[in-house]
Amino acid sequence: MKHEDEVDRIIADWSAARPDLDLTPLAIFSRLWRITKHLDRARAHAFDRSGLASWEFDVLAVLRRGGEPFRQSPKVLVQQTMVSSGTMTNRIDRMVDRGLVQRLTDPNDGRGVLVEMTPLGLTLVDAAMTRLSDSEERLLGGIPRSERERLSVLLRRLALSVDRFEPDPIPADED
């Protein structure tokens, strides 16, 4: 396995051009960006093979993780998928049309709505999750199992550090 990657070259070039800067953050986030690109491709392939768009998987995954009856409020879906309420309304509409979810009246609030996954949605999200798990395992293949937990702990710490900042507003037309 190579011990240097493309980011090493980039950092070396920047170090020569700007020796006054600490480039450790650039090295970390550049690697995360490159990993994200590979992960996005692997995930898109896994979801596509299962008949889902990535955003459909995101919504169905929230419902699936919540357990039976696979039902959540739109507010929970918005919070967990990190999209605007307008985007979520659009997504739910499209998923209802595809038969992946249905809207129900909230029995605890007659004005409220709940989103429930259909049997088709359950079948597709489970297939996609299996493919995703297999794909991500292949991506991690170069890292010994003994090092994966440490990597997970470090990435959790980074995520908590990054999560301290308010996210930029999400454009309403994002899909």
Side-chain angles (χ1 to χ4, degrees):
M1 181 157 105
K2 289 190 327 187
H3 295 288
E4 289 191 2
D5 62 7
E6 182 66 15
V7 174
D8 289 318
R9 185 191 63 74
I10 293 167
I11 296 301
D13 290 349
W14 273 116
S15 292
R18 292 294 308 270
D20 58 310
L21 296 178
D22 174 10
L23 299 172
T24 306
L26 180 64
I28 291 168
F29 289 108
S30 293
R31 284 189 174 96
L32 286 173
W33 181 253
R34 294 174 70 80
I35 291 165
T36 298
K37 287 182 176 185
H38 288 287
L39 181 59
D40 285 347
R41 281 189 220 118
R43 285 183 166 193
H45 182 70
F47 302 148
D48 186 54
R49 286 184 55 217
S50 301
L52 294 173
S54 295
W55 60 266
E56 289 172 323
F57 175 83
D58 289 344
V59 174
L60 293 173
V62 172
L63 296 170
R64 180 67 167 108
R65 290 190 315 261
E68 288 193 56
F70 310 121
R71 184 183 301 154
Q72 295 289 349
S73 70
K75 181 179 179 180
V76 168
L77 296 174
V78 164
Q79 290 169 337
Q80 291 194 24
T81 60
M82 297 174 62
V83 299
S84 70
S85 60
T87 296
M88 183 55 64
T89 298
N90 183 2
R91 289 179 177 187
I92 293 168
D93 289 344
R94 292 165 64 187
M95 293 176 74
V96 166
D97 291 345
R98 284 201 57 207
L100 302 174
V101 299
Q102 61 183 348
R103 283 188 175 92
L104 304 172
T105 302
D106 185 340
N108 299 320
D109 175 6
R111 297 171 294 152
V113 173
L114 295 173
V115 178
E116 182 177 88
M117 185 165 37
T118 65
L120 173 61
L122 178 60
T123 298
L124 295 181
V125 76
D126 279 351
M129 189 59 203
T130 298
R131 288 184 173 104
L132 176 62
S133 179
D134 292 345
S135 181
E136 290 182 353
E137 175 62 34
R138 281 191 302 279
L139 292 175
L140 285 172
I143 300 175
R145 291 194 181 278
S146 60
E147 294 180 15
R148 293 180 188 186
E149 183 59 33
R150 179 72 181 140
L151 177 59
S152 179
V153 168
L154 290 172
L155 289 172
R156 179 185 308 112
R157 289 177 62 191
L158 176 59
L160 290 170
S161 178
V162 170
D163 284 348
R164 294 176 305 151
F165 299 96
E166 275 298 311
D168 292 332
I170 299 168
D173 62 347
E174 179 184 276
D175 237 20

